[in-house]
Amino acid sequence: MYDANTHSVHSIRLALAGACAGLVLAVLVQSAPSASVSGLVRDANGPVASATVRVKATANATTTDADGRFALADLEPNKPVVLTAWAEGYYIGGGQTEYLPGASDVDIMLSAHNDQDNANYAWLSAFASAGYPGSGEDGNCEHCHADPNDAQVSLPFDEWRGDAHALSAENPRFLTMYTGTDTAGSQSSPTQYFQTRDYGRIPLRPDPNESYFGPGYKLDFPETAGNCAACHTPAAAIDAAYETDPTTVTGVGAEGAACDFCHKVWDVRLDPASGLPYPNMPGVLSFEFRRPPEGHQFFAGPLDDVAPGEDTYSPIQRQSQYCAPCHFGVFWDTVVYNSFGEWLHSPYSDPQTGRSCQDCHMPSGRTDHFARFDKGGVLRDPTTIFSHRMPGAADEQLLQNAVSMDVKAVREGERLAVTVTITNDQTGHHVPTDSPLRHLILLVAATDGRGRRLKQLDGPVVPEWGGVGDPNQGFYAGLPGKAFAKVLEEHWTELSPSGAYWNPTRVLSDNRLAAFEVDTSSCVFAQTTEGEAIVDVTLLFRRAFIKLMAQKSWQSPDIVMEHERITIGGSPVPNAGLQER
Ligand code: HEC
Ligand code: HEC
Ligand code: HEC
Ligand code: HEC
Ligand code: HEC
């Protein structure tokens, strides 16, 4: 229960009988308690039909009938219960009074929440600690959704502050791609153009005689802000998707995909024909928000029994569609970000047998409460509480549980044949997905007993953009193996692989692994029939192209997703004997 004096944020509805503090034990006791309670859910105008009524923090729930009446059975005799009620368009009601089983005149009053968005609403900062802009307010989420004694308890604030959403406005990789600088601030020259009679102004490749710090939106479009802020700094861009320069955001805007922002989402607007966001409506433009009017609050969440307070339940919070506006992005005519579309077109979107983005990236079960107990937190079933860690491209554990790899090595006379099968059996979209900077590098190394590399006779090699140089420094071009990526090529300059997708690009190739897709590659090496051979197969996740990382001075070590070593015995094997594993 909230302390109404200090926590106006989920402010208690005055309509709730004025009982602002403490639970009121209802005096409605019947002599022979049947283990059920019944009553009425209404609003100022009368009964509310189809409201969900729940014994708070339990799975015991029912729905009101056309007259707004309900009965909840299966209660333990003599054990008082707290009830909540929710219906679409209303804050969650109830939550204040305890009823003994047998009570038959429960009366829960609902208050409608705003059905319009209020652009004048001032965001609440997540941060309570002094020094953060926007801190110092009772409503700062950290007051109640963090554990000051143990950040490992996994309350939303403690998890969110380390996740990519919280850091999106200050992510140096994003910012340096926006500004066209490296991390030290050195900037590439603005893009040069030449005039053609047929096509007008055409951009030139960067001058090879000048220092180059990689591409940047601002090098190509110095006059405009672009659409980047619509997804990367959405709280700042909510009312100005194309006019917000992400390098200038301040206050809660700098909190990236912020708590208050995400929990003001009421719905998403998708194209009913495709199920996808409209291509020209990135990020904030495809959401419907419910920022509350002055004097009120509004938090939408996945639970329908958070009361009292100005909270409501929104089914979209549990659906992949919630993530769609930012995890699908079209630039010019090229689909650049598409984890949502890939998911939608995979078996994972089956409502019965599939899994949502939240199932994998916000798994439940990590904690049994999500607000501090001394601030109104309630002990709950851990399966009803979802994590905000949002593991992604930097998470070793997630990446090591994304695909399966199977390696077979067979000696056939003087040849050693290595077959690698990679199956995307655990990822709800392509691997890798979203940012086209991401790629996988498969390295198939075969050495003899003395550590000398065996000569490759047949099979694929890592492409040039795997890096030309010392393999010990991560430059793998030409080595046996391959890479998986969606490779974009810029029109006009024909540069590829390009991360400058704010320019017109086309998909040169895309061999990423769709959900449940299997990829097989075979490399053949020369080997004498005698002596040991060691086969080392490694699948790496690389966050960005190595050349780009060098231009920008990004530090982002490769992550080993899979590794397997096979030793083929040392004794001479006549007649192409088969030896596996
Ligand atoms: C990128 C959007 C996003 C951000 C940022 C975000 N949330 Fe959430 N939050 C969600 C979604 C989606 C759910 C529901 C997940 C589900 O039901 O599968 C959720 C669930 C919750 C819940 C319900 C309990 C639980 O954990 O399941 C609380 C409380 C909550 N968030 C608070 C916060 C706070 C506080 C912050 C910031 C510290 C925050 N959220 C940041 C999207 C977000
Ligand atoms: C439709 C939403 C959307 C828009 C618009 C958008 N981005 Fe992104 N961006 C994302 C998402 C989502 C990710 C994370 C993808 C991933 O991890 O694979 C991302 C990742 C990135 C990354 C990789 C960051 C890293 O740490 O590796 C860069 C760089 C980036 N975006 C730059 C930009 C720039 C520059 C613009 C504007 C020209 C832009 N983005 C516009 C959604 C968007
Ligand atoms: C004064 C304490 C307090 C503050 C400050 C606070 N919350 Fe909460 N919040 C709670 C409590 C308590 C609950 C309900 C706990 C329960 O029932 O288990 C809750 C529930 C929620 C829910 C769940 C709603 C639902 O129906 O699923 C969301 C979402 C949420 N808070 C978001 C936020 C965000 C975002 C902020 C910061 C902008 C914030 N809260 C600040 C105490 C607080
Ligand atoms: C079945 C589990 C599963 C589902 C469902 C799922 N993901 Fe993932 N996701 C993963 C795994 C595993 C990875 C790591 C492999 C990779 O990067 O592709 C990942 C990676 C990511 C990344 C980081 C990508 C990168 O390579 O930089 C983003 C962003 C992401 N997922 C977003 C989403 C969104 C949005 C949805 C829903 C539309 C979703 N995921 C659904 C398992 C899942
Ligand atoms: C308001 C836009 C927005 C919404 C809504 C949103 N995301 Fe994101 N998400 C981003 C951006 C931007 C990034 C990249 C941040 C960065 O790397 O700087 C990102 C990053 C991620 C990553 C981490 C990728 C990495 O490389 O580490 C995952 C996983 C992810 N999002 C999943 C989700 C899921 C699941 C949902 C829905 C519950 C969701 N996102 C909703 C904008 C959003």
Side-chain angles (χ1 to χ4, degrees):
M1 167 89 239
Y2 302 92
D3 175 351
N5 297 322
T6 46
H7 312 123
S8 56
V9 48
H10 300 252
S11 62
I12 293 167
R13 305 292 305 139
L14 292 172
L16 287 168
C20 284
L23 295 174
V24 185
L25 181 63
V27 274
L28 323 138
V29 198
Q30 286 176 359
S31 43
S34 72
S36 73
V37 289
S38 56
L40 175 71
V41 176
R42 62 192 174 94
D43 68 4
N45 302 317
V48 176
S50 306
T52 304
V53 184
R54 183 180 299 280
V55 179
K56 184 169 173 159
T58 74
N60 191 356
T62 188
T63 312
T64 56
D65 64 16
D67 300 322
R69 301 210 58 89
F70 69 91
L72 270 165
D74 302 328
L75 304 179
E76 240 178 84
N78 299 320
K79 194 180 163 209
V81 290
V82 176
L83 303 185
T84 60
W86 169 86
E88 193 178 328
Y90 297 89
Y91 291 119
I92 301 162
Q96 282 189 294
T97 310
E98 285 191 330
Y99 298 98
L100 272 177
S104 61
D105 52 357
V106 175
D107 182 8
I108 301 179
M109 185 76 175
L110 295 184
S111 307
H113 59 68
N114 47 309
D115 63 358
Q116 299 291 316
D117 186 36
N118 171 24
N120 296 319
Y121 171 78
W123 293 120
L124 276 171
S125 169
F127 295 92
S129 338
Y132 285 96
S135 65
E137 299 209 37
D138 291 342
N140 299 139
C141 324
E142 185 180 4
H143 284 304
C144 309
H145 292 295
D147 194 315
N149 302 316
D150 185 358
Q152 302 307 314
V153 173
S154 292
L155 299 195
F157 176 86
D158 301 318
E159 297 191 314
W160 166 81
R161 68 174 310 178
D163 100 6
H165 293 122
L167 302 169
S168 64
E170 52 196 71
N171 180 343
R173 289 171 297 265
F174 165 60
L175 294 172
T176 53
M177 284 298 268
Y178 186 78
T179 52
T181 58
D182 67 2
T183 50
S186 306
Q187 193 173 32
S188 306
S189 299
T191 302
Q192 303 296 308
Y193 297 84
F194 77 100
Q195 205 67 32
T196 63
R197 203 181 323 145
D198 295 342
Y199 302 107
R201 221 166 74 118
I202 288 179
L204 292 168
R205 291 183 173 209
D207 183 344
N209 300 316
E210 271 188 38
S211 320
Y212 186 55
F213 306 98
Y217 176 84
K218 279 292 181 187
L219 306 175
D220 296 303
F221 298 98
E223 308 297 331
T224 60
N227 66 3
C228 321
C231 301
H232 283 269
T233 60
I238 185 168
D239 300 315
Y242 289 102
E243 289 88 44
T244 305
D245 177 336
T247 63
T248 62
V249 298
T250 53
V252 179
E255 293 174 22
C259 311
D260 203 13
F261 171 87
C262 275
H263 289 288
K264 295 290 181 276
V265 168
W266 172 241
D267 208 351
V268 292
R269 289 187 220 118
L270 305 178
D271 178 350
S274 63
L276 296 167
Y278 293 95
N280 54 350
M281 303 285 270
V284 296
L285 294 172
S286 285
F287 283 110
E288 218 177 285
F289 301 98
R290 286 287 181 275
R291 286 171 286 175
E294 182 86 39
H296 286 277
Q297 201 21 291
F298 175 97
F299 289 115
L303 301 163
D304 62 18
D305 63 352
V306 170
E310 293 185 319
D311 304 271
T312 195
Y313 163 69
S314 165
I316 194 78
Q317 299 254 339
R318 290 205 161 158
Q319 299 164 6
S320 295
Q321 279 71 14
Y322 177 94
C323 321
C326 302
H327 288 273
F328 171 80
V330 180
F331 292 70
W332 303 97
D333 287 331
T334 303
V335 180
V336 171
Y337 302 100
N338 197 21
S339 53
F340 176 73
E342 291 157 6
W343 170 87
L344 187 66
H345 297 121
S346 82
Y348 286 99
S349 65
D350 183 305
Q352 259 70 51
T353 57
R355 301 185 73 189
S356 68
C357 315
Q358 289 87 331
D359 285 339
C360 291
H361 291 285
M362 305 187 72
S364 62
R366 290 167 58 87
T367 172
D368 57 14
H369 63 291
F370 59 81
R372 280 167 61 170
F373 291 122
D374 61 344
K375 301 282 190 183
V378 174
L379 191 66
R380 290 175 178 273
D381 176 353
T383 63
T384 63
I385 305 179
F386 304 91
S387 165
H388 284 75
R389 272 187 61 244
M390 300 267 193
D395 192 282
E396 199 168 74
Q397 209 197 341
L398 182 80
L399 293 170
Q400 291 177 348
N401 291 284
V403 300
S404 298
M405 188 173 84
D406 186 56
V407 182
K408 294 203 178 356
V410 176
R411 186 182 272 171
E412 296 160 347
E414 300 206 327
R415 293 156 71 92
L416 174 68
V418 181
T419 309
V420 184
T421 309
I422 299 170
T423 310
N424 174 359
D425 52 358
Q426 293 157 86
T427 305
H429 38 68
H430 290 26
V431 180
T433 189
D434 271 355
S435 169
L437 303 181
R438 314 278 190 253
H439 50 286
L440 311 185
I441 297 179
L442 174 70
L443 296 174
V444 183
T447 48
D448 66 13
R450 282 186 254 166
R452 291 174 304 201
R453 281 182 174 275
L454 301 183
K455 185 171 184 277
Q456 185 179 12
L457 299 176
D458 198 8
V461 296
V462 175
E464 196 185 326
W465 46 260
V468 180
D470 179 2
N472 295 317
Q473 305 293 319
F475 296 90
Y476 299 127
L479 295 185
K482 69 202 277 194
F484 298 88
K486 173 157 91 180
V487 176
L488 302 181
E489 182 190 72
E490 283 176 60
H491 285 313
W492 309 123
T493 63
E494 291 181 348
L495 287 171
S496 80
S498 173
Y501 37 83
W502 49 83
N503 291 322
T505 59
R506 67 180 179 110
V507 179
L508 201 60
S509 62
D510 183 359
N511 67 343
R512 297 170 304 143
L513 291 162
F516 300 112
E517 192 176 328
V518 181
D519 178 85
T520 304
S521 14
S522 304
C523 291
V524 179
F525 298 90
Q527 200 204 3
T528 55
T529 47
E530 290 149 53
E532 202 179 57
I534 296 168
V535 175
D536 263 304
V537 181
T538 313
L539 184 66
L540 298 172
F541 181 94
R542 187 169 276 180
R543 189 171 190 117
F545 300 106
I546 194 164
K547 201 167 162 188
L548 182 67
M549 287 204 277
Q551 288 163 347
K552 298 279 181 197
S553 39
W554 295 343
Q555 305 296 332
S556 197
D558 297 342
I559 293 177
V560 177
M561 295 176 75
E562 304 290 326
H563 174 246
E564 196 161 331
R565 166 174 285 200
I566 295 178
T567 306
I568 306 249
S571 52
V573 190
N575 301 331
L578 272 189
Q579 290 199 353
E580 259 180 47
R581 302 212 168 197

